[in-house]
């Protein structure tokens, strides 16, 4: 079965950095669109970034553009999110997901990890 496991979350001061990792199994990673989403209580899940199977094209939400970098290692079946210049509004539960269409719409994604918590203090 498809399995996605996020790690690397934690607590950090505003302006700091975190690197998230999503390890995967149970599907053909190198032909699969991948993405990161985040969610806070009382708000809908929102896309952070997506990446094509080859890694050649990346897309970012306007709120994180210039601060976050999505990447993947197809030999390790692993997805990454480097988060820099973190802001309190970046706080949330971060999830990785597998996609069936290209974009930042959550309806395009069909498998989700359990999430890793990111907390940014001012």
């Amino acid at each position: 079965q498809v399995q996605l496991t996020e790690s690397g979350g934690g607590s950090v001061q505003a302006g700091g950095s975190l690197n998230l990792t999503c390890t995967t199994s149970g599907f053909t990673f190198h032909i699969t669109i991948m993405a990161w989403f985040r969610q806070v209580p009382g708000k809908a899940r929102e896309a952070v970034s997506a990446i094509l199977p080859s890694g050649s094209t990346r897309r970012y939400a306007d709120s994180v553009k210039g601060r976050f970098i999505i990447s993947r290692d197809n030999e390790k079946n692993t997805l990454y999110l480097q988060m820099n210049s973190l802001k309190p509004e970046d706080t949330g539960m971060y999830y990785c997901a597998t996609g069936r269409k290209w974009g930042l719409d959550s309806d395009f994604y069909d498998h989700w990890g359990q999430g890793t918590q990111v907390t940014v203090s001012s």
Side-chain angles (χ1 to χ4, degrees):
Q1 66 272 27
V2 173
Q3 188 165 355
L4 309 172
T5 304
E6 302 93 337
S7 62
S11 298
V12 65
Q13 299 257 342
S17 298
L18 286 172
N19 295 318
L20 306 185
T21 299
C22 175
T23 59
T24 77
S25 63
F27 66 102
T28 308
F29 181 84
H30 74 275
I31 61 170
T32 302
I33 295 164
M34 298 294 297
W36 289 96
F37 289 78
R38 66 189 181 191
Q39 189 169 30
V40 297
K43 296 188 66 178
R45 184 170 50 197
E46 66 172 346
V48 175
S49 183
I51 186 168
L52 283 176
S54 70
S56 62
T57 302
R58 306 167 184 183
R59 193 176 306 281
Y60 298 93
D62 288 343
S63 60
V64 308
K65 193 171 297 182
R67 299 188 297 119
F68 291 10
I69 302 170
I70 191 171
S71 62
R72 64 193 296 157
D73 187 336
N74 286 343
E75 294 184 350
K76 298 181 179 179
N77 297 331
T78 300
L79 178 73
Y80 305 94
L81 184 67
Q82 181 182 331
M83 304 187 296
N84 302 312
S85 302
L86 283 162
K87 304 175 180 180
E89 52 262 45
D90 294 319
T91 293
M93 186 73 73
Y94 282 69
Y95 303 89
C96 62
T98 63
R100 57 181 179 84
K101 292 181 66 177
W102 176 239
L104 297 178
D105 188 332
S106 64
D107 290 341
F108 295 172
Y109 296 84
D110 49 13
H111 295 281
W112 303 82
Q114 83 293 333
T116 186
Q117 178 67 37
V118 171
T119 302
V120 184
S121 60
S122 59

